[in-house]
Amino acid sequence: MKINVINRSAHALPEYETLASAGMDLRANIDAPITLQPLERTIVKTGLFLELPVGYEAQVRPRSGLAAKKGITVLNAPGTVDADYRGEVGVILVNLSNEPFTIENGERVAQMVIAKHERAEWNEVAELSETSRGAGGFGSTGTK
């Protein structure tokens, strides 16, 4: 699949690190380092502008290493870049650790997955079909 992209960053375009990778790393495109204090959030710009085909979205997800080692995650994970959005891709990062974290220009701050999606059409009915689960939710299927 080919996607039109404008790269106004000082960095190379995102790319897959391995043949089986689902996501491409997004890099911070910032003029000066940003220090996130504990529980602070910010939008980190990437310098990327996308033109996705209708029926696809770009999902912005946390990087597992940053989350596990530093407590840095994407606040609205996964963030969605819609096919009709033409602005700069930004990443909402939050520091869930107890230590300040500094984001440097060019740092890999998130990953982006291109995903196909369906457009739903509601069919309003008086009742739904029965299942063994029924209305049970939030842990109703057990812990093991």
Side-chain angles (χ1 to χ4, degrees):
M1 149 185 275
K2 295 212 181 260
I3 296 173
N4 292 337
V5 60
I6 295 172
N7 184 2
R8 292 194 179 136
S9 80
H11 315 293
L13 287 172
E15 60 185 5
Y16 298 101
E17 295 295 325
T18 69
L19 184 63
S21 294
M24 299 173 269
D25 288 335
L26 293 174
R27 294 183 181 274
N29 185 55
I30 53 180
D31 295 327
I34 299 170
T35 298
L36 274 179
Q37 298 300 323
L39 299 180
E40 188 177 16
R41 63 188 177 273
T42 192
I43 298 174
V44 179
K45 298 296 188 172
T46 64
L48 300 174
F49 300 76
L50 308 178
E51 184 180 331
L52 296 165
V54 173
Y56 289 85
E57 65 168 326
Q59 298 175 355
V60 179
R61 302 178 180 187
R63 291 191 63 237
S64 58
L66 271 183
K69 295 174 186 171
K70 301 291 185 178
I72 305 301
T73 191
V74 175
L75 189 56
N76 63 327
T80 293
V81 179
D82 292 309
D84 58 353
Y85 177 68
R86 294 295 183 268
E88 184 174 2
V89 175
V91 179
I92 305 171
L93 288 183
V94 64
N95 181 354
L96 297 179
S97 78
N98 295 321
E99 304 292 328
F101 178 78
T102 301
I103 303 159
E104 302 286 345
N105 185 43
E107 186 165 356
R108 297 179 298 159
V109 294
Q111 60 180 319
M112 180 174 62
V113 173
I114 306 301
K116 187 170 178 51
H117 66 82
E118 298 295 325
R119 189 162 174 91
E121 184 177 317
W122 296 112
N123 182 34
E124 198 166 352
V125 297
E127 53 186 62
L128 302 175
S129 64
E130 296 286 328
T131 68
S132 60
R133 183 177 183 176
F138 298 108
S140 65
T141 59
T143 59
K144 295 184 183 201

